[in-house]
Amino acid sequence: MSKVQQGMVLLIEAFHKYSGTEGDKHTLTKGELKGLLNAELGDFLGKTNDKTALDQIFKDLDANADGTVDFQEYVTLVACITTLCHEFFTKGK
């Protein structure tokens, strides 16, 4: 498997590690999202203990306003964070 394919598999596995622990296995609740953000992205984002910040992140991600974050909405978050990291690490090169 190529590195890109491995990355895709890892993104899918990370989503499903947290989805369904509180509800639908195809979406993330706010609690599941918090667990994912803290465990998988905490080094980049810091710990999400601020309820107001978590509420805003969840609201921004929940594009269809159904009260959950689906896989496409999760991938949007990862893509945005990846873009910011790319810009940070390539700045001045």
Side-chain angles (χ1 to χ4, degrees):
M1 228 187 300
S2 74
K3 295 234 184 229
V4 172
Q5 291 169 328
Q6 290 172 16
M8 292 165 58
V9 168
L10 291 172
L11 286 173
I12 293 166
E13 288 175 348
F15 178 84
H16 288 290
K17 179 179 177 180
Y18 298 91
S19 67
T21 60
E22 294 179 1
D24 184 343
K25 67 180 181 176
H26 300 291
T27 62
L28 297 167
T29 64
K30 194 178 297 181
E32 292 167 339
L33 178 66
K34 179 181 179 181
L36 186 151
L37 292 175
N38 284 336
E40 306 294 337
L41 295 168
D43 291 343
F44 287 153
L45 301 177
K47 299 298 180 187
T48 34
N49 293 322
D50 180 346
K51 184 181 177 339
T52 304
L54 179 63
D55 289 345
Q56 189 61 52
I57 291 169
F58 192 84
K59 181 181 175 192
D60 291 344
L61 287 177
D62 185 13
N64 62 1
D66 68 352
T68 62
V69 171
D70 63 25
F71 186 77
Q72 184 173 343
E73 293 163 336
Y74 155 77
V75 170
T76 300
L77 169 68
V78 173
C80 290
I81 294 169
T82 303
T83 300
L84 293 171
C85 289
H86 178 262
E87 290 171 5
F88 176 79
F89 289 116
T90 59
K91 198 173 218 170
K93 287 187 178 184

